[in-house]
């Protein structure tokens, strides 16, 4: 399996869920069949090949034909048939292509990224290679859907190519990224939630968000179910800082990887900032002492006051 982020491309005739894609020049947009040949026939290998069910956040509810759930059901039925017969070649059966387009609305097709050009601080132009002199041949109102893996989550977003519809051998899309860092202590979480929900509710919003919630203990974390639901979105990361906990061993396993004990200090702040994709805009809400400490730590990490807002 390729060790960069994965991506996939699919054609749709109506509005579909907007997608994330990898940003590395060395990455490839892989179809599912790329990983089949090296797999053995064990039960574990078959489970690894089982299609992932889309999360609710990946469906726009716009009546796409096919919907991502339709594609999932087809892939699942194909997987079940192949598994029952212990024949992985059934997973690579070719589907008929519609017209002369290199895309098929029922499956994802692999393309390579030939170039990435940064146009503004947060906007990039991606160019994809098409085989030979082929073209997408999209009709008016059509767009493509890119599938990728971001932070371990498979996500999808739709884009209208900016290249001419009859462009031969390539197509281009514009992708815009923004980033927020939210630092909340205790009830300071409250003003962050409407912002988070406005981002996740807007299928055109591609803002990456890192929320850092500071609480005394695990039991004192507010609104755990809501936060866990928000963390399922491809563009949301949530970290917990527990000042009075001394060990993570008693925490549920789903919290251990993204939880720190102790206080949010200057070193940990630099670690969090460095894990962001770009310099974020920072929102801060907590006690006066917390706000002052965070502002000082951010400055030490290279974040100036004009890139911060204190509630």
């Amino acid at each position: 399996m390729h060790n960069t982020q994965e991506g996939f491309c699919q054609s749709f005739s109506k509005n579909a869920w907007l997608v994330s894609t990898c940003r590395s020049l060395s990455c490839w947009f892989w179809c599912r069949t790329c990983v089949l040949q090296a797999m053995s026939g064990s039960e574990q290998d078959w489970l690894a090949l089982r299609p992932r069910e889309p999360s609710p956040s990946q469906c726009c509810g716009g009546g796409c034909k096919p919907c991502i759930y339709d594609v999932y059901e087809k892939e699942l039925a194909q997987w079940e048939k192949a598994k029952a017969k212990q024949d992985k070649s059934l997973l690579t059966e070719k589907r008929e292509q519609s017209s002369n387009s290199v895309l098929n609305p029922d499956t994802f097709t692999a393309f390579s990224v030939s170039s990435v050009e940064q146009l503004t601080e947060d906007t990039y132009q991606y160019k994809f290679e098409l085989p030979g002199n082929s073209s997408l041949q999209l009709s008016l109102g059509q767009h493509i859907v890119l599938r990728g893996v971001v932070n371990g989550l498979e996500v999808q977003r739709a884009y209208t190519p900016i290249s001419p519809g009859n462009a031969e051998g390539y197509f281009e899309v514009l992708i815009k990224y923004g980033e927020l860092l939210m630092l909340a202590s205790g009830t300071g979480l409250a003003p962050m939630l409407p912002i988070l929900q406005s981002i996740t509710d807007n299928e055109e919003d591609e803002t990456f968000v890192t929320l850092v919630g500071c609480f005394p203990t695990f039991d004192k974390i507010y609104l755990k179910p809501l936060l866990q639901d928000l963390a399922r979105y491809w563009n949301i990361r949530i970290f917990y800082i527990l000042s009075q906990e001394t060990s993570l061993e008693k925490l549920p396993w789903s919290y251990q990887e993204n939880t720190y004990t102790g206080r949010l200090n200057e070193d940990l702040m630099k670690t969090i900032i460095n894990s962001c994709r770009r310099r974020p805009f920072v929102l801060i809400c907590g006690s006066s002492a917390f706000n002052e400490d965070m502002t000082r730590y951010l400055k030490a990490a290279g974040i100036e006051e004009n890139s911060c807002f204190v509630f």
Side-chain angles (χ1 to χ4, degrees):
M1 191 64 180
H2 203 274
N3 61 2
T4 59
Q5 291 179 324
E6 303 167 309
F8 300 79
C9 183
Q10 181 181 21
S11 66
F12 274 73
S13 58
K14 294 183 67 178
N15 290 334
W17 178 254
L18 299 173
V19 134
S20 138
T21 142
C22 43
R23 291 170 293 169
S24 169
L25 279 174
S26 62
C27 74
W28 277 79
F29 277 60
W30 293 88
C31 59
R32 184 182 301 276
T33 61
C34 295
V35 298
L36 300 181
Q37 304 304 321
M39 303 295 287
S40 68
S42 70
E43 183 70 16
Q44 184 177 0
D45 290 338
W46 278 105
L47 291 177
L49 291 172
R50 192 180 194 277
R52 294 184 184 181
E53 182 175 3
S55 68
S57 66
Q58 291 179 262
C59 179
C60 67
C64 305
K65 297 295 182 181
C67 173
I68 57 172
Y69 285 103
D70 296 330
V71 175
Y72 166 70
E73 291 296 335
K74 286 185 177 181
E75 291 180 345
L76 182 61
Q78 187 177 17
W79 176 84
E80 290 174 342
K81 177 182 177 182
K83 183 175 182 295
K85 295 186 177 183
Q86 290 293 299
D87 184 358
K88 292 188 176 67
S89 67
L90 296 177
L91 295 175
T92 62
E93 288 180 344
K94 295 183 178 179
R95 300 174 175 87
E96 286 188 23
Q97 297 286 324
S98 57
S99 70
N100 294 320
S101 174
V102 295
L103 300 181
N104 187 317
D106 294 323
T107 189
F108 287 89
T109 306
F111 299 107
S112 64
V113 180
S114 60
S115 67
V116 179
E117 180 181 358
Q118 184 173 358
L119 303 181
T120 67
E121 182 179 357
D122 59 357
T123 305
Y124 297 79
Q125 180 173 321
Y126 284 71
K127 185 173 183 179
F128 296 84
E129 292 181 357
L130 294 176
N133 292 323
S134 59
S135 64
L136 294 183
Q137 297 190 12
L138 298 179
S139 303
L140 289 176
Q142 282 189 306
H143 57 262
I144 60 175
V145 172
L146 302 180
R147 177 192 286 180
V149 177
V150 178
N151 294 332
L153 298 177
E154 186 178 277
V155 296
Q156 296 185 164
R157 281 194 173 273
Y159 296 95
T160 300
I162 61 172
S163 48
N166 60 351
E168 296 182 348
Y170 76 97
F171 68 93
E172 296 173 315
V173 296
L174 284 183
I175 300 177
K176 184 173 183 178
Y177 305 97
E179 188 141 8
L180 280 177
L181 173 60
M182 299 178 169
L183 306 174
S185 176
T187 55
L189 179 66
M192 307 298 184
L193 294 178
I195 300 172
L196 276 168
Q197 291 175 313
S198 69
I199 292 171
T200 57
D201 288 345
N202 182 1
E203 62 186 31
E204 296 184 1
D205 196 328
E206 297 183 334
T207 303
F208 289 95
V209 181
T210 299
L211 169 64
V212 180
C214 300
F215 302 92
T217 64
F218 178 76
D219 293 336
K220 296 292 181 66
I221 298 176
Y222 301 127
L223 303 172
K224 290 190 189 75
L226 174 59
L227 294 176
Q228 288 294 82
D229 286 342
L230 289 170
R232 294 182 61 200
Y233 285 84
W234 67 274
N235 53 339
I236 307 295
R237 297 190 305 168
I238 299 180
F239 295 107
Y240 301 97
I241 314 294
L242 306 180
S243 60
Q244 296 178 15
E245 297 280 5
T246 58
S247 173
L248 301 178
E249 293 180 357
K250 295 183 179 179
L251 271 60
W253 67 267
S254 59
Y255 284 86
Q256 292 182 15
E257 185 176 357
N258 59 340
T259 300
Y260 297 86
T261 59
R263 294 187 177 275
L264 179 52
N265 56 30
E266 184 175 317
D267 289 339
L268 184 52
M269 179 69 76
K270 289 180 179 178
T271 298
I272 293 171
I273 294 293
N274 290 336
S275 73
C276 294
R277 294 164 176 79
R278 60 192 51 77
R279 287 300 190 196
F281 187 84
V282 186
L283 304 178
I284 308 170
C285 190
S287 65
S288 297
F290 176 84
N291 295 343
E292 291 174 3
D293 287 343
M294 296 305 105
T295 302
R296 187 171 67 256
Y297 299 158
L298 288 167
K299 187 175 182 179
I303 305 295
E304 300 299 331
E305 290 186 13
N306 59 4
S307 295
C308 303
F309 179 82
V310 180
F311 287 92

